[in-house]
Amino acid sequence: VIEFSNGVKIGGANRPVYMVGPCSVEEDYSGLLEVAIAAKEMGCQFLRGGAFKPRTSPYDFDGLGEKALKYLAKAKEETGLLVVTELMDVADLDMVCEYADLIQIGARNMQNFDLLKAVGRLHVPVLLKRGMSATIEEWLMSAEYIMSEGNHNVILCERGIRTFEKATRNTLDLSAVAAVKRMSHLPIIVDPSHATGRRWMVESMAMAAIAAGADGIMCEVHNDPEHAWCDGAESITPETFEHMMGDLRKLAPIVGR
């Protein structure tokens, strides 16, 4: 069970947690705040948003850097939500630690062993996403890299793996939830947004993840998905998220969550 300074707990028999926000923090702070306020009102615990964005194309928007981190910190002040954001480079470690309550290691860095060792020497909890072509054993070994340095506060995140299927961005491997529960003591959450790449799939896959035993959901929520600077196709609106949360609250007790 990973516990945060404000009493939020992830894992064990605790209720699922919800991490929501835009894929990337944009110049319009009001949009971020709108999502943060909605998330808080719906009972979420974390605000997620990228400050440094690894993109497939070098010409795509790759984040606002420290400005984005300051936006996230400001939204935290106004809502009380904890901040989760991605760390891409050891050089940015101190900067990100200044603002983040939970440090995300993205799929592309799952086997960046120098980075894993660096966050392993921290006391800040780490969210480790599964690599897009990684086996569950490889993923757990990456978590072991972090823990071997002394930081045992690791949360795993299933975000889909790369297969031959083209109907979705990735293939969401919900069997990983059951496997991790059997093979490891670590909590695991699911990211249906990156897994499917289709906003109309997010709600059903979030429901399936909770039914499978996931300890939480990471979901991309944007105030204006059609004009998002990053991953708009998989982002849902606060209104859609509110509907999803209503369904999740009904489902969770039924499946013992």
Side-chain angles (χ1 to χ4, degrees), residues 150-163:
N151 187 352
H152 296 164
N153 296 314
V154 180
I155 302 155
L156 301 172
C157 180
E158 164 61 39
R159 46 79 69 201
I161 53 175
R162 179 165 290 175
T163 69

Side-chain angles (χ1 to χ4, degrees), residues 208-221:
I210 294 300
D215 296 299
I217 298 293
M218 173 175 273
C219 182
E220 293 194 353
V221 180

